[in-house]
Amino acid sequence: MATGEFELIDNYFTHRLPERDDVIIGIGDDGAVLDVPAGFQLVVVTDTLVENVHFDRQTSARALGHKAVAVNLSDLAAMGAEPTWISLALTLPHSDDEWLNSFSHGLREICDYFNCQLVGGDTTRGPLTITVTAHGVVPKGKAIQRRGAKPGDWLYVSHSLGDAGLALASQKHQVNISSEHFRQVSERLHFPTPRVALGQALRDVASSAIDISDGLLADLGHILRASQVGAVISLEEIPLSLAMTESVSQEQALRYALTSGDDYELCFTVSEDQRGVFDTKLATLGCKPVCIGRITGQAEKIELKLAGEPWQFELPQTGYQHFREPLEAS
Amino acid sequence: MATGEFELIDNYFTHRLPERDDVIIGIGDDGAVLDVPAGFQLVVVTDTLVENVHFDRQTSARALGHKAVAVNLSDLAAMGAEPTWISLALTLPHSDDEWLNSFSHGLREICDYFNCQLVGGDTTRGPLTITVTAHGVVPKGKAIQRRGAKPGDWLYVSHSLGDAGLALASQKHQVNISSEHFRQVSERLHFPTPRVALGQALRDVASSAIDISDGLLADLGHILRASQVGAVISLEEIPLSLAMTESVSQEQALRYALTSGDDYELCFTVSEDQRGVFDTKLATLGCKPVCIGRITGQAEKIELKLAGEPWQFELPQTGYQHFREPLEAS
């Protein structure tokens, strides 16, 4: 059953991967050698998933393979970058053929879909930990930052929010939902869709962008801090899935949408000037971001309004911070 | 005592780092944006250190900060690349100011020395695991590969071998050495020096190169397999430190040099034609690699000779493979 480190990598990860022309040396040497096209800049992002912190033992290996890549491509999308290559650092308690087959299958599926090639990594023994470093390219000077939002800009999110949080709450028996709704929101928790095409379409159009991994309020907060602006959100505009609205009250739905993590949707701002260009670009893209509010001049202040009236609610904490979370039992 | 994820990163890693002109966006956005200079290719390497597998609880945090970067820069050196940027994925069981101060100090020292900038990463809660992805650049087409060795090429190593293995054996009370020798070899185990300048000097000169992380025989084996050649090694030429020769028998010293890991020296081949160029380059470099043998036509065969006579010895295993190692008690 035990497999050597090198055969491991060979067996599961080196075949049936997309082969890009810009990969000069891939897996199998001390490092990968890669061509960044002239006129483009390199974008690098890193995200780690740890067992019992980001997922539990029941999570399928295929979902982990997908998600470890997806959360990184979501960061690339928020920068407006086109994904190109990933490195995988995989720490496993023991060699498990079935798990590795399923994990590499999930990883391959999303890499294939986004034409992103695995070019290297490291496989080590230890508690299950998955770190992916993803690389992308963006035309010189066109990366979207957090700090460009201006008062008067429109505030958008790419898709419905809170489903992953609802799935997690249901999994922990904190809320009771139908099995069909559970299936739908679990799909969003385990197989998030990074908004890669949208991110690239936002270059030259969005004044700022971030991906929502820690909840809308926390991540919008990063844009507001970096840009030194505020925002007013019309809560009734926040997109919610049918699974969400049919399962919980409006107040509970808004709590999930505002504060639960793992959405991996984009949150971005568009100036009044760019709004026409943006609508035209969207028409060809087949996705429908929703305008949920506007940027204000009140630095770092978020005003929540429901039907025009201020909506008060206690924030449990400002985002999902691992060091403040107790470790869950495995 | 508990520190939030974001303050953590801010406090320990974002100040007093080298600032490179080619870092357009560093830490603090969804990703880093980086300029690869025209005419250069990107080189990417990844290595993970796991507690109780690659180091034990007694290892100083400063050493870990150094080593997590050093092992990656060693891979870049083996490719002939100039280090530029690193990403750090740090998984910690709890927030510990003293540990983080010391770890970030070790990481900063080596980054400063090699003018390599930390540009991003992820800090998560979980069992202590450190993954660094290092980036470097190499003039287009000049990366050194494992597969270029040809029969007749000369075989070199960059410096004395086996000291890290001796330090580890002494730490485990498998061998008794003086405290001064222990200090010297422990320094090599915990603060390895990546041969960055040598690696770059080897471009256009070496026909193949690899860094020795799993023992000379195992890593030379990768060159032989990739190049479909063999090698003959004159064991008396293998450089050994005084700490080594004064502590153990010649046979034991050779066993450490040939099979113990963690040396992070370079092993490379130079053709007869290039030997003169190589000697000239070395004179200006202030380091003195040692020729220990020659490449042969017998694919994947390593002949060991001592004073011209074949030297037989049983290999415990072909290299340091984590999945074959039992987990040490913590």
Side-chain angles (χ1 to χ4, degrees):
Chain A
M1 195 60 185
T3 314
E5 186 184 359
F6 303 104
E7 294 104 284
L8 237 180
I9 297 172
D10 283 352
N11 289 349
Y12 296 99
F13 297 109
T14 57
H15 62 292
R16 293 197 294 122
L17 281 169
E19 296 211 352
R20 295 177 56 98
D21 290 343
D22 51 17
V23 177
I24 312 307
I25 302 175
I27 292 172
D29 215 300
D30 285 298
V33 178
L34 308 160
D35 265 335
V36 174
F40 282 75
Q41 288 171 318
L42 175 70
V43 182
V44 180
V45 303
T46 300
D47 257 314
T48 299
L49 303 181
V50 183
E51 187 175 64
N52 298 329
V53 176
H54 301 91
F55 60 90
D56 63 17
R57 199 152 293 182
Q58 274 67 52
T59 311
S60 86
R62 184 172 149 252
L64 290 175
H66 174 96
K67 193 162 178 174
V69 176
V71 300
N72 279 284
L73 299 194
S74 179
D75 280 323
L76 287 178
M79 304 294 291
E82 176 193 335
T84 48
W85 321 292
I86 65 163
S87 294
L88 169 69
L90 179 60
T91 303
L92 284 176
H94 52 88
S95 178
D96 176 336
D97 286 340
E98 198 183 333
W99 191 95
L100 277 162
N101 258 323
S102 172
F103 177 83
S104 60
H105 180 63
L107 184 134
R108 247 196 316 268
E109 279 176 322
I110 185 166
C111 283
D112 277 346
Y113 187 82
F114 289 106
N115 190 29
C116 186
Q117 187 172 340
L118 179 70
V119 294
D122 192 16
T123 316
T124 50
R125 183 178 180 174
L128 184 53
T129 311
I130 309 156
T131 294
V132 167
T133 301
H135 298 81
V137 294
V138 68
K140 209 172 168 95
K142 299 297 184 190
I144 309 164
Q145 299 187 49
R146 296 177 178 177
R147 69 173 188 206
K150 298 263 182 316
D153 287 357
W154 299 97
L155 178 65
Y156 286 82
V157 294
S158 54
H159 200 83
S160 61
L161 301 181
D163 283 352
L166 177 60
L168 204 60
S170 169
Q171 210 171 286
K172 291 174 171 175
H173 306 292
Q174 292 165 352
V175 62
N176 237 323
I177 66 177
S178 77
S179 60
E180 177 53 22
H181 288 154
F182 181 65
R183 200 194 54 72
Q184 288 170 16
V185 292
S186 292
E187 187 77 7
R188 300 223 38 211
L189 172 63
H190 295 305
F191 293 92
T193 306
R195 302 300 175 185
V196 170
L198 174 62
Q200 291 172 63
L202 292 178
R203 292 176 201 154
D204 292 317
V205 176
S207 52
S208 72
I210 195 168
D211 82 314
I212 306 175
S213 52
D214 299 334
L216 174 62
L217 292 184
D219 288 310
L220 172 60
H222 292 305
I223 285 185
L224 302 186
R225 200 164 311 122
S227 304
Q228 280 302 297
V229 293
V232 54
I233 298 178
S234 301
L235 294 173
E236 64 273 22
E237 303 298 340
I238 292 182
L240 300 170
S241 70
L242 211 60
M244 176 70 84
T245 54
E246 288 182 351
S247 297
V248 299
S249 69
Q250 185 191 36
E251 171 163 346
Q252 193 53 55
L254 287 174
R255 282 182 182 275
Y256 286 126
L258 292 172
T259 65
S260 66
D262 273 343
D263 282 327
Y264 302 104
E265 295 299 337
L266 296 184
C267 170
F268 57 96
T269 56
V270 176
S271 71
E272 177 68 26
D273 283 358
Q274 290 292 327
R275 222 177 170 190
V277 179
F278 176 55
D279 285 343
T280 314
K281 275 204 169 181
L282 277 191
T284 63
L285 203 70
C287 84
K288 190 117 193 62
V290 177
C291 181
I292 62 166
R294 207 154 185 188
I295 296 300
T296 69
Q298 293 188 275
E300 300 191 38
K301 185 173 179 191
I302 301 181
E303 295 165 76
L304 303 177
K305 293 201 171 166
L306 191 60
E309 294 298 312
W311 198 69
Q312 294 301 339
F313 106 120
E314 289 274 312
L315 268 182
Q317 59 178 32
T318 56
Y320 183 72
Q321 300 190 335
H322 304 299
F323 284 90
R324 289 184 182 148
E325 300 271 300
L327 264 182
E328 294 166 34
S330 64
Chain B
M1 196 61 183
T3 312
E5 185 183 0
F6 302 105
E7 294 103 283
L8 238 180
I9 297 173
D10 283 352
N11 289 348
Y12 297 98
F13 298 109
T14 57
H15 62 292
R16 294 197 294 124
L17 282 168
E19 295 211 351
R20 296 177 56 99
D21 291 343
D22 51 16
V23 177
I24 312 309
I25 302 175
I27 292 172
D29 215 300
D30 285 299
V33 178
L34 308 160
D35 265 336
V36 174
F40 282 74
Q41 289 171 318
L42 175 71
V43 182
V44 181
V45 302
T46 300
D47 256 316
T48 299
L49 303 180
V50 182
E51 186 175 64
N52 298 327
V53 177
H54 302 91
F55 61 91
D56 63 18
R57 200 154 292 183
Q58 275 66 53
T59 311
S60 85
R62 184 172 149 253
L64 290 175
H66 174 97
K67 192 162 178 173
V69 176
V71 300
N72 279 285
L73 298 194
S74 179
D75 280 322
L76 287 178
M79 304 294 292
E82 176 192 336
T84 48
W85 320 292
I86 64 163
S87 294
L88 168 69
L90 178 61
T91 303
L92 285 174
H94 52 87
S95 178
D96 176 336
D97 286 340
E98 199 184 333
W99 192 95
L100 277 162
N101 259 321
S102 172
F103 177 83
S104 60
H105 180 64
L107 183 133
R108 248 196 315 268
E109 281 176 320
I110 184 164
C111 283
D112 277 346
Y113 187 83
F114 290 107
N115 189 29
C116 185
Q117 186 171 341
L118 179 70
V119 294
D122 193 15
T123 315
T124 49
R125 183 177 181 175
L128 184 53
T129 311
I130 308 156
T131 294
V132 168
T133 302
H135 298 83
V137 293
V138 69
K140 208 172 168 98
K142 299 297 184 191
I144 310 165
Q145 298 187 51
R146 296 177 178 177
R147 67 172 188 207
K150 298 262 182 317
D153 287 357
W154 298 97
L155 179 65
Y156 285 83
V157 293
S158 54
H159 200 80
S160 61
L161 301 182
D163 283 352
L166 177 59
L168 204 60
S170 168
Q171 209 171 285
K172 289 176 172 173
H173 308 290
Q174 292 165 354
V175 63
N176 238 323
I177 66 177
S178 78
S179 60
E180 178 53 22
H181 287 154
F182 181 66
R183 200 194 55 72
Q184 288 168 18
V185 295
S186 290
E187 188 76 8
R188 300 221 40 211
L189 172 63
H190 294 306
F191 293 93
T193 305
R195 304 299 175 185
V196 171
L198 175 62
Q200 291 172 63
L202 292 178
R203 294 176 201 154
D204 291 318
V205 175
S207 52
S208 71
I210 194 167
D211 82 315
I212 307 175
S213 53
D214 299 333
L216 174 62
L217 292 184
D219 289 310
L220 171 60
H222 292 305
I223 286 185
L224 303 186
R225 201 164 311 123
S227 303
Q228 280 301 297
V229 292
V232 54
I233 298 178
S234 302
L235 295 173
E236 65 274 22
E237 303 298 341
I238 291 182
L240 301 170
S241 70
L242 210 61
M244 175 70 84
T245 54
E246 287 183 350
S247 299
V248 300
S249 69
Q250 185 191 37
E251 170 161 349
Q252 193 52 54
L254 288 174
R255 281 181 181 276
Y256 286 126
L258 293 172
T259 65
S260 67
D262 274 343
D263 282 326
Y264 301 105
E265 296 298 338
L266 296 185
C267 170
F268 56 96
T269 56
V270 176
S271 71
E272 176 68 24
D273 282 358
Q274 289 294 325
R275 222 177 170 190
V277 180
F278 177 54
D279 285 343
T280 313
K281 276 203 171 187
L282 277 191
T284 63
L285 203 69
C287 85
K288 191 121 193 61
V290 177
C291 181
I292 61 166
R294 210 155 182 186
I295 296 300
T296 69
Q298 294 187 274
E300 300 190 39
K301 185 175 181 191
I302 301 180
E303 296 165 75
L304 303 178
K305 293 202 171 166
L306 192 59
E309 295 299 313
W311 197 69
Q312 294 299 342
F313 106 121
E314 288 273 312
L315 268 182
Q317 59 178 32
T318 55
Y320 183 71
Q321 299 191 333
H322 304 298
F323 284 92
R324 285 183 184 151
E325 301 271 300
L327 265 184
E328 294 166 35
S330 63

